[in-house]
Amino acid sequence: MDDLTAAFSGLPYFNPFMGVNLSSTCATTKLIQCTMLGTGMCDVTRKFLEKTPEDATDLPYDDFMARKELIEHVIEYDEERTRGKSRGDPAAWEWTPILYVFEIAKGSTKRQEEVGHVVFTDPTLTRFLMVNLYGPPTCQCGNPYHNDYRALVTLHANQFMSLLKYVYYNKKKPQPRWIRATYTTNAQPLNPAFLVPADTDSPPPVSSKQSSNQPPIINILSTDFIPSLNDHHFQRIDALLARDPSWGIPPASVRDSVTEKAEGKALKLDKKTSAFQAGKMLVTRECANCHQVEKVGKTMMTCSRCKTVFYCNQKCQKEHWRVHKVFCKEPPKTATPPSNQTTTTADGGAEAQKPKREKKNKKSKEAEESMSAEAYFAYDFYSEYQASQNDYATKASVESFFSAGKHANQGHTNNWAVLVCSSRYWFNYRHMANALGMYRTVKRLGIPDSNIILMLADDAACNSRNKFAGSVYANKGRGLDLYGENIEVDYRGYEVTVENFIRVLTGRVADSMPRSKRLLTDDRSNIFIYMTGHGGNEFLKFQDNEEISAFDLADAIEQMWQKKRYNEIFFMIDTCQANTMYSKLYSPNILATGSSKLAESSYSHENDNDIGVAVIDSYTHHVLSYLESVNKTSKATMEDLFSTYSFEKIRSHAGVRSDLFNRQLDQTLITDFFGGVAQVEVLQEEDDAEDRFTKEVPAPTLPTEPPAVLASVRPQRMPGTKERLSSGHGGTNGTRGPVQKAKTPADQGLLQALKLWGSSLLVGLLLLWTLSR
């Protein structure tokens, strides 16, 4: 294994440890892994034959048993067919299941109907079997096309063939031949004629008169398929292929050959073209404002300028324009090909003038359709212009303050913390203690709850096994309750998912999301991200149900940078092989550290016999112990923290990555990320103004009282008003702005005089009213 690891160490994306993740649902990634590592490394047979339904937390019981029965059926078929044949004989090739649930690329699906099921392949990755396993034929969602299983299987098979042709465009890679697809239901078992030998050059032709009691069989050939990929797929597929130079992004001609078309072969499929087209639309559109998914039979509106975002109606478009206008750009105009220009024919001038009339009518129609949009844009632009002119002075003063209040080394004005415990169940008590320990520390150093996003996948404090109900401890002595009374958990239980975590980072949350669950950062925000849980090479599990990869994390942080959501990020993770999680980061201004290197575990620190489980991890315990010596005004640096790392203390090789960070570690204060920020500035007055304030201010024109009385009640000038307060790192985040001086002595004297005469007048009126009774 060491030799194999060394052989793959130079590759930026592929390594032998990636093959152990049998739960991957990304078809693109799985095809790449099968090509690099072989189908044996990606065989999911052992997941179903060596485990029970309770072990497979990503599948319901019925789905697990259906897949297990199918795989066992295919194994029996292979064993009976290859009995007595030599292993090297192509006739002895067997079908290998490589996917039991798949999407074309990670994150490319929005509905369950878009997900394909079981995929088998031969050893050469040129022939494939696809079986979708459906349950009862009743659909409660109201969409009649969800039960058109033939259309859905046809869609999945054509999409998979399109993916094969796109990924394997290089002739040096496997060249796909065919896909044989079908489905099963509770009432319709696998068609006996479906299975064929893995060495078959071409699948047996499908009879035109298939029995209605048996699921249909669909053959998709590499020379006769329906291109079915769209931009939504290409964006994610290209991101995976671009990570390794040996693959690369296919040329535009290949992309065009597998891009879905509105016309063509789809119309020749069968008489159920409407059902098939409905199946193609399962990759749905989503309203950019209210995030409602496009319904079948209804077409969403498109932005008339950029043509890239969709809306339910004109109201959503107007509400979202303030956000979208920053990114809305008109697509580049392309020159009209010479072949489309008007030409004169020998038959006469009528044909020559017809294209001109059509072009003129088309322009008039387009002008009429765009009038309302142009009027809206003009009105909105004028309104924005007026508002900007009115607020110009205010904006200038704010910018002036922030530019003057920058730190000596960097310009952040607020600190945030995102703390994630991704593990459920009582035996993962230590992971919850890790996150709560960090929560207590950042609050102690000055970050308020309003600037902390705390995500706990389980509630150990309220677990029935907890002997100390309502409490969480991180040491055997139980001297400090980390749960306490002032804890604010923002995401709890099943809310802690990969999707919600990425939405928090990128700010892509629904309008109804409370402010307390949002990361309201900007380009002057320093963010501390801490994650703990069970993980492996370039992934971290969320509740043993899903996982976030190092690539997902890197892409999310890049979105943050593009959207100006941070100034600097300090990323810390405590899990097995933790250092691999920050290996794919590529955005600027990121400092990262982890608890363990590749192929190394992260261990717990100590157990509590009364609690019955480990209470904290070694790495987090070491970091928290060091941070106890840090206070709000501490000058300790990141270099001081990292220099305390040692294998003897942590029992693993903690790592640090600083190549993306633009400051020296010995000049980066720990409180730049762990503490609150308080920018305070006192405006100094000019010397001549101060001299003016020391002069006598004439008393107001009031009867009888001489000016001497007014002068006697004025307080004297307070010493030290000329000093400027220095900015510090203590305190909490809050509204930042200039703190002006107290009122001048002249103003205070005038105020005292007004109060005196006001009181005298009130007493006189009361006395007069009493005497008049």
Side-chain angles (χ1 to χ4, degrees):
M1 180 59 73
D2 294 338
D3 296 338
L4 187 60
T5 304
F8 282 90
S9 61
L11 297 176
Y13 176 67
F14 305 105
N15 55 70
F17 297 98
M18 294 183 64
V20 302
N21 181 17
L22 303 180
S23 301
S24 175
T25 62
C26 178
T28 305
T29 301
K30 190 59 67 79
L31 290 175
I32 296 173
Q33 292 173 350
C34 289
T35 307
M36 300 295 292
L37 306 175
T39 57
M41 289 289 289
C42 303
D43 188 353
V44 299
T45 302
R46 57 185 182 273
K47 179 180 179 70
F48 295 93
L49 300 188
E50 299 177 4
K51 294 185 178 182
T52 63
E54 289 74 16
D55 297 329
T57 57
D58 57 337
L59 286 174
Y61 178 85
D62 292 339
D63 290 349
F64 180 90
M65 296 305 297
R67 285 159 174 77
K68 181 178 180 179
E69 182 180 352
L70 173 65
I71 292 174
E72 289 176 343
H73 183 73
V74 175
I75 291 175
E76 292 176 0
Y77 170 83
D78 282 332
E79 290 178 349
E80 182 178 352
R81 186 182 61 84
T82 60
R83 187 177 294 114
K85 297 181 180 180
S86 61
R87 190 67 179 174
D89 186 357
W93 286 351
E94 299 177 353
W95 292 111
T96 302
I98 58 174
L99 289 163
Y100 60 91
V101 172
F102 76 88
E103 51 185 336
I104 294 299
K106 182 73 172 179
S108 64
T109 60
K110 292 186 175 71
R111 292 183 180 180
Q112 190 64 28
E113 288 75 14
E114 302 171 43
V115 178
H117 296 172
V118 186
V119 175
F120 297 84
T121 182
D122 72 328
T124 64
L125 292 171
T126 59
R127 307 166 180 88
F128 296 85
L129 299 178
M130 179 183 296
V131 183
N132 282 6
L133 309 171
Y134 297 110
T138 57
C139 183
Q140 304 297 329
C141 67
N143 188 340
Y145 300 114
H146 289 182
N147 288 332
D148 193 344
Y149 298 140
R150 177 189 174 90
L152 294 179
V153 172
T154 304
L155 169 66
H156 295 154
N158 279 284
Q159 284 184 341
F160 201 83
M161 178 58 76
S162 301
L163 174 65
L164 291 170
K165 298 288 287 184
Y166 190 66
V167 173
Y168 293 150
Y169 75 95
N170 192 332
K171 297 301 181 182
K172 298 180 180 180
K173 297 292 191 298
Q175 297 301 304
R177 296 188 179 185
W178 50 264
I179 298 175
R180 191 171 172 87
T182 188
Y183 66 87
T184 67
T185 66
N186 288 1
Q188 295 175 303
L190 187 68
N191 193 324
F194 174 71
L195 294 177
V196 295
D199 62 334
T200 304
D201 290 334
S202 60
V206 178
S207 174
S208 59
K209 297 181 180 180
Q210 298 187 45
S211 173
S212 59
N213 297 327
Q214 295 178 343
I217 299 175
I218 301 155
N219 290 333
I220 304 296
L221 305 180
S222 61
T223 58
D224 185 20
F225 70 98
I226 302 174
S228 304
L229 299 183
N230 55 36
D231 293 339
H232 189 66
H233 296 124
F234 289 125
Q235 181 182 5
R236 287 159 174 77
I237 298 172
D238 291 346
L240 294 171
L241 296 177
R243 290 186 176 124
D244 188 83
S246 65
W247 290 80
I249 300 176
S253 58
V254 177
R255 178 168 179 159
D256 293 340
S257 66
V258 297
T259 302
E260 64 178 356
K261 311 295 192 302
E263 300 175 320
K265 295 182 179 179
L267 301 178
K268 301 178 183 179
L269 179 65
D270 55 21
K271 295 181 179 179
K272 291 186 176 181
T273 53
S274 60
F276 182 77
Q277 294 297 337
K280 289 178 64 178
M281 292 304 295
L282 285 175
V283 182
T284 55
R285 298 171 177 175
E286 181 179 292
C287 178
N289 183 55
C290 65
H291 304 287
Q292 292 293 326
V293 176
E294 184 179 44
K295 297 181 180 179
V296 175
K298 293 186 178 181
T299 303
M300 284 192 168
M301 299 173 58
T302 308
C303 176
S304 60
R305 178 186 291 180
C306 65
K307 312 292 186 183
T308 58
V309 295
F310 305 94
Y311 300 101
C312 299
N313 46 50
Q314 193 174 10
K315 179 181 178 182
C316 283
Q317 182 186 17
K318 290 182 178 180
E319 292 177 353
H320 191 253
W321 172 242
R322 293 183 179 274
V323 177
H324 178 56
K325 66 182 178 182
V326 180
F327 311 99
C328 185
K329 295 182 179 180
E330 187 174 356
K333 297 181 179 179
T334 57
T336 305
S339 59
N340 294 337
Q341 295 178 357
T342 304
T343 57
T344 305
T345 63
D347 298 332
E351 292 296 326
Q353 297 299 324
K354 185 177 180 181
K356 292 184 178 180
R357 290 196 301 269
E358 292 179 351
K359 186 175 182 180
K360 183 177 180 180
N361 294 337
K362 184 178 180 181
K363 286 185 177 180
S364 301
K365 185 177 180 180
E366 291 178 351
E368 292 175 359
E369 292 177 350
S370 62
M371 281 183 62
S372 58
E374 292 176 355
Y376 166 69
F377 285 127
Y379 172 77
D380 189 78
F381 175 80
Y382 179 77
S383 301
E384 292 291 331
Y385 176 78
Q386 291 293 336
S388 64
Q389 292 297 314
N390 295 336
D391 296 341
Y392 179 79
T394 304
K395 292 180 180 179
S397 61
V398 171
E399 292 176 359
S400 175
F401 164 69
F402 279 113
S403 62
K406 287 185 178 180
H407 285 260
N409 295 324
Q410 45 91 41
H412 83 285
T413 59
N414 55 95
N415 283 355
W416 289 73
V418 180
L419 313 176
V420 182
C421 166
S422 62
S423 298
R424 289 184 66 83
Y425 310 118
W426 173 251
F427 54 82
N428 293 319
Y429 181 102
R430 66 187 185 279
H431 295 156
M432 286 165 267
N434 292 344
L436 290 172
M438 285 295 174
Y439 174 78
R440 171 188 172 272
T441 298
V442 296
K443 283 190 66 175
R444 179 180 63 84
L445 293 178
I447 301 182
D449 270 317
S450 59
N451 287 30
I452 300 175
I453 304 295
L454 179 58
M455 308 179 76
L456 296 181
D458 206 342
D459 192 354
C462 300
N463 194 292
S464 58
R465 300 183 184 180
N466 191 353
K467 183 178 180 180
F468 307 95
S471 301
V472 175
Y473 299 100
N475 51 35
K476 292 193 297 185
R478 296 185 295 280
L480 177 64
D481 181 9
L482 297 177
Y483 206 78
E485 298 179 355
N486 297 321
I487 182 175
E488 293 186 13
V489 182
D490 300 294
Y491 292 82
R492 188 190 302 271
Y494 289 107
E495 290 183 322
V496 182
T497 62
V498 174
E499 178 184 357
N500 282 343
F501 173 66
I502 293 179
R503 285 187 179 276
V504 166
L505 294 184
T506 59
R508 296 184 174 184
V509 296
D511 293 339
S512 58
M513 184 68 69
R515 291 178 62 86
S516 61
K517 290 189 174 186
R518 300 188 184 201
L519 189 68
L520 303 175
T521 55
D522 53 31
D523 59 348
R524 295 182 180 274
S525 303
N526 277 9
I527 306 175
F528 169 51
I529 301 176
Y530 174 82
M531 304 183 74
T532 182
H534 289 291
N537 182 24
E538 298 178 359
F539 72 89
L540 177 70
K541 289 184 178 180
F542 271 65
Q543 306 194 34
D544 289 338
N545 185 42
E546 57 180 346
E547 59 193 33
I548 183 174
S549 70
F551 303 99
D552 296 331
L553 179 65
D555 292 341
I557 293 180
E558 174 62 16
Q559 289 186 43
M560 297 177 67
W561 175 254
Q562 295 294 339
K563 297 170 69 174
K564 297 182 180 180
R565 287 181 58 79
Y566 74 87
N567 174 59
E568 291 176 336
I569 287 179
F570 178 41
F571 177 71
M572 179 182 290
I573 183 168
D574 189 353
T575 185
C576 298
Q577 307 185 60
N579 299 349
T580 62
M581 276 299 291
Y582 58 70
S583 62
K584 305 305 177 184
L585 299 177
Y586 55 92
S587 304
N589 297 353
I590 300 177
L591 177 63
T593 181
S595 60
S596 53
K597 65 179 183 179
L598 177 67
E600 186 178 56
S601 298
S602 179
Y603 297 98
S604 61
H605 177 66
E606 60 183 355
N607 297 333
D608 187 304
N609 294 331
D610 292 329
I611 296 177
V613 292
V615 292
I616 196 171
D617 283 324
S618 293
Y619 173 76
T620 300
H621 176 268
H622 172 77
V623 173
L624 291 177
S625 298
Y626 177 83
L627 293 178
E628 284 298 312
S629 63
V630 177
N631 56 38
K632 297 178 181 179
T633 59
S634 175
K635 299 300 180 182
T637 64
M638 288 296 179
E639 181 67 27
D640 298 332
L641 170 61
F642 298 150
S643 63
T644 63
Y645 287 0
S646 68
F647 182 81
E648 292 73 18
K649 296 179 181 178
I650 304 176
R651 292 187 289 174
S652 59
H653 294 87
V656 177
R657 183 181 178 187
S658 58
D659 59 300
L660 301 174
F661 200 59
N662 62 355
R663 291 197 286 152
Q664 298 295 325
L665 298 184
D666 58 356
Q667 298 177 4
T668 304
L669 298 179
I670 290 179
T671 50
D672 283 348
F673 295 96
F674 285 90
V677 178
Q679 294 281 5
V680 180
E681 181 178 1
V682 177
L683 298 180
Q684 289 187 352
E685 306 291 345
E686 299 294 337
D687 292 337
D688 56 346
E690 293 184 353
D691 294 338
R692 184 177 71 252
F693 289 147
T694 59
K695 297 178 182 179
E696 291 290 336
V697 178
T701 307
L702 296 174
T704 66
E705 199 69 73
V709 176
L710 299 178
S712 63
V713 299
R714 294 175 186 152
Q716 298 298 317
R717 179 179 178 82
M718 298 298 294
T721 57
K722 194 175 180 179
E723 297 177 359
R724 176 190 293 268
L725 297 178
S726 60
S727 61
H729 295 276
T732 60
N733 292 325
T735 303
R736 292 151 190 92
V739 180
Q740 297 186 359
K741 285 186 176 183
K743 292 183 175 65
T744 62
D747 293 337
Q748 291 181 356
L750 179 60
L751 182 61
Q752 291 287 349
L754 292 175
K755 289 181 178 180
L756 177 62
W757 286 107
S759 301
S760 302
L761 180 60
L762 180 61
V763 171
L765 292 174
L766 291 174
L767 182 60
L768 181 62
W769 178 74
T770 303
L771 295 176
S772 63
R773 294 184 62 183

